[in-house]
Amino acid sequence: MTDGPLAVGVDIGGTKVAAGVVDAGGAVLRRTRRDTPHRSTSPRVVEDTIVSAVEELLGHGDEIVGVGIGAAGFVAADRATVVFAPHLSWRNEPLRAALGERLDLPIFVDNDANAAAWAEHRFGAGRGESHLVMVNLGTGIGGGIVLDGRVLRGRFGIAGEFGHMQVVPDGIRCECGNRGCWEQYASGNALVREARSLMSAGSPVVSDLFERVGGDPGELTGPLVTEAARDGDPLARELLGEIGRWLGVGIADLAAALDPGTFVIGGGVSAAGDLLLEPARAAFRRQLTGRGYRPEATIVQAQLGNEAGLVGAADLARVGAADLAWAEAGDRAERGGSTPAG
């Protein structure tokens, strides 16, 4: 696999732009990184950052077949336009065209969670699984879907926004404007919110967490809660267990709709491992429609970590470039009166 063509992947987040040259086996050969410009700046500034990173990677003489962009936001089904990126200034931004004017390579734009799901399907925890759903637990919940070995993007390109499924009618208000969204119960934000609530109430059960943050609830983070849980703190383990149970409930709903063989759990909260996944698996089995009479999907931790988006974007670009080459060969053959195979 490593003998195939090389591609560049770019993962654009709210704080960083990470880019790398990736081989056909999913290995990152070279990397570079830039800070993401502040969201109030113009789209051109973000594009300058992307071009700078890609040009740095292209300066080593490798033959690159395409550039894949994984953007944190809504990407239209044409894989060319970023409809909305909450952490950037992109609103209906024709990103592929803008970058194509400055980079002499095929450009492919996708949602970053789609790219991560593809990477786990091709090279990570879901390798060999034709029907995979990835759920990313970070500040909120995002995800990607691979069915029959293809990324499912939806009619408008916005499939996979799992975090805004309603799991509790009239529940906690979500930043999206609705109430009871899944990410209000099974995300890094939910984990920290519950811990800080107990700390602010002066509950004695949070004494260990208080010590870890010097008595300041505002300093508490999800990784600190996970660290405390690993060290055996009962409250931290209980909080992660609650997040895991809500995770299992939502996954059961996704299984009813999509029936995948594997759920891959990624994002920062997944670092808790079985402290999160065992409660999720138990809740999934209790909640699953037709339980006891149907095959159950496996629930596994993602393997590729922070590089999944970069690797997946590059591999999707490699596939897209091959499709373009085949289409162009077909056009030439048709004009010449023969088939591509001929």
Side-chain angles (χ1 to χ4, degrees), residues 138-235:
T139 302
I141 298 179
I145 306 164
V146 177
L147 295 182
D148 283 328
R150 293 180 175 270
V151 176
L152 179 65
R153 298 180 176 88
R155 173 64 179 82
F156 303 107
I158 308 175
E161 296 296 329
F162 308 137
H164 300 290
M165 301 186 306
Q166 187 186 61
V167 295
V168 179
D170 297 322
I172 297 169
R173 176 76 71 181
C174 181
E175 291 179 1
C176 76
N178 293 329
R179 288 185 177 274
C181 292
W182 189 25
E183 68 177 41
Q184 294 303 314
Y185 301 87
S187 67
N189 268 1
L191 178 66
V192 172
R193 183 191 65 230
E194 293 302 303
R196 285 179 178 171
S197 176
L198 287 167
M199 294 173 79
S200 297
S203 173
V205 299
V206 292
S207 57
D208 180 55
L209 295 180
F210 258 123
E211 291 179 8
R212 289 174 187 266
V213 297
D216 182 2
E219 294 297 314
L220 189 68
T221 64
L224 279 175
V225 178
T226 298
E227 179 184 291
R230 285 176 174 158
D231 291 343
D233 178 60
L235 175 68

Side-chain angles (χ1 to χ4, degrees), residues 31-44:
R31 299 170 177 81
T32 189
R33 174 174 170 155
R34 306 283 192 279
D35 291 335
T36 303
H38 190 270
R39 70 171 71 185
S40 64
T41 58
S42 71
R44 176 77 181 195

Side-chain angles (χ1 to χ4, degrees), residues 74-94:
F74 294 170
V75 177
D78 62 4
R79 296 180 65 194
T81 306
V82 181
V83 178
F84 173 70
H87 300 296
L88 301 165
S89 54
W90 289 336
R91 305 293 185 268
N92 291 311
E93 177 67 16

Side-chain angles (χ1 to χ4, degrees), residues 114-326:
N114 286 344
W118 181 255
E120 292 290 346
H121 158 68
R122 290 273 285 131
F123 310 112
R127 188 170 182 174
E129 173 60 70
S130 62
H131 290 63
L132 173 151
V133 172
M134 185 167 184
V135 179
N136 285 320
L137 304 183
T139 302
I141 298 179
I145 306 164
V146 177
L147 295 182
D148 283 328
R150 293 180 175 270
V151 176
L152 179 65
R153 298 180 176 88
R155 173 64 179 82
F156 303 107
I158 308 175
E161 296 296 329
F162 308 137
H164 300 290
M165 301 186 306
Q166 187 186 61
V167 295
V168 179
D170 297 322
I172 297 169
R173 176 76 71 181
C174 181
E175 291 179 1
C176 76
N178 293 329
R179 288 185 177 274
C181 292
W182 189 25
E183 68 177 41
Q184 294 303 314
Y185 301 87
S187 67
N189 268 1
L191 178 66
V192 172
R193 183 191 65 230
E194 293 302 303
R196 285 179 178 171
S197 176
L198 287 167
M199 294 173 79
S200 297
S203 173
V205 299
V206 292
S207 57
D208 180 55
L209 295 180
F210 258 123
E211 291 179 8
R212 289 174 187 266
V213 297
D216 182 2
E219 294 297 314
L220 189 68
T221 64
L224 279 175
V225 178
T226 298
E227 179 184 291
R230 285 176 174 158
D231 291 343
D233 178 60
L235 175 68
R237 287 178 172 242
E238 180 182 335
L239 292 173
L240 275 171
E242 289 178 3
I243 297 298
R245 285 189 287 275
W246 278 112
L247 174 61
V249 168
I251 286 176
D253 287 345
L254 292 174
L258 299 171
D259 191 31
T262 301
F263 286 97
V264 177
I265 311 303
V269 184
S270 71
D274 282 344
L275 291 172
L276 173 79
L277 296 185
E278 282 304 316
R281 293 178 182 124
F284 173 73
R285 295 187 189 103
R286 288 194 302 270
Q287 200 78 15
L288 183 63
T289 301
R291 51 194 173 274
Y293 298 95
R294 59 173 287 175
E296 290 184 8
T298 58
I299 300 172
V300 298
Q301 185 176 359
Q303 292 180 354
L304 300 181
N306 292 332
E307 292 199 323
L310 183 161
V311 169
D315 200 64
L316 286 169
R318 182 181 297 105
V319 172
D323 289 344
L324 281 178
W326 177 254

